[in-house]
Amino acid sequence: MISDTINQEIKKAMLAKDQAQLRGLRAIKAALLLAKTEKGSSEEITEEAELKILQKLIKQRRESADIYKSQNREDLYQVEEEEIAVINQFLPKQLDREEVASIIADVIKQSGATSVKDMGKVMGLANKALAGKADGKLIAEIVKEKLA
C-alpha cells in the first residue's frame, strides 16, 4: 500500500531536511487520510483508489503550475513542479502516446465501436484498461481521434 511507504518516506525526508520532498509527501498523506475518513473508518482504501487520488493531485498541481507560469510567478511554479515530481514517484510508469493508442485500438476493436456516438462506452473500458498508466485527457483525445 502506498500509505505505508509514504510514512517511511516522510521520516527519511525529515532526516534529510528535504523540504520539497516533505511537502509533496505530506500532501499525499493528507489526501489519503481525507479519502479514508470520507468512506468511513472501517474501510481500507484500495490501491486503485490510491492511484486515482495521486492522479488527481498531479492534475491539480499541473493546473496550478500552468496558471503560475502564465502569470510569470516562477517561484510558485517551481513549488508545484517539485510536488509533481514527488507524487510521480508513487505512480506506475506512464505509457507514451503510441502505447496508449495501441491499447485504445484494441479496446475499440473489442467493444465494436464505430463512431463518436460510442465514445462513452470506449472511454469507460479504456479508463479501466489504462488506470494509473495514462492521463485521462490523453485517453479522451486518442479515443476521439480513433472514432472520428
Side-chain angles (χ1 to χ4, degrees):
M1 297 294 282
I2 295 174
S3 51
D4 299 331
T5 310
I6 296 295
N7 289 330
Q8 295 168 357
E9 292 295 319
I10 285 176
K11 289 176 190 171
K12 287 180 189 175
M14 288 173 109
L15 290 172
K17 294 184 178 22
D18 185 349
Q19 293 303 313
Q21 182 86 356
L22 196 54
R23 219 179 19 254
L25 292 169
R26 283 181 173 156
I28 296 170
K29 185 175 181 176
L32 292 175
L33 283 172
L34 185 64
K36 196 180 286 188
T37 56
E38 279 177 0
K39 294 186 178 214
S41 58
S42 63
E43 274 188 50
E44 193 64 33
I45 300 175
T46 64
E47 205 164 328
E48 187 177 307
E50 286 180 335
L51 290 176
K52 284 184 181 179
I53 291 168
L54 293 180
Q55 285 180 315
K56 182 179 176 183
L57 290 174
I58 286 183
K59 183 179 178 187
Q60 290 170 341
R61 277 153 184 76
R62 283 220 168 94
E63 289 170 356
S64 297
D66 290 343
I67 291 169
Y68 293 143
K69 187 133 184 120
S70 69
Q71 295 177 349
N72 294 321
R73 292 296 310 265
E74 199 62 38
D75 53 333
L76 296 174
Y77 170 78
Q78 192 59 40
V79 168
E80 297 297 330
E81 287 297 318
E82 290 169 351
E83 288 184 18
I84 289 171
V86 171
I87 297 167
N88 266 329
Q89 296 171 4
F90 298 97
L91 283 174
K93 180 189 165 287
Q94 298 293 296
L95 300 175
D96 64 17
R97 188 178 180 84
E98 290 77 34
E99 293 169 320
V100 173
S102 157
I103 292 171
I104 289 175
D106 292 341
V107 168
I108 291 172
K109 205 177 294 178
Q110 291 171 0
S111 69
T114 54
S115 69
V116 179
K117 291 179 184 175
D118 301 319
M119 187 167 172
K121 179 170 63 169
V122 173
M123 281 299 296
L125 295 170
N127 280 330
K128 281 183 185 171
L130 295 165
K133 299 176 187 167
D135 181 45
K137 195 173 177 182
L138 176 66
I139 294 171
E141 185 180 307
I142 293 173
V143 168
K144 199 177 283 185
E145 285 173 12
K146 297 242 182 235
L147 291 177

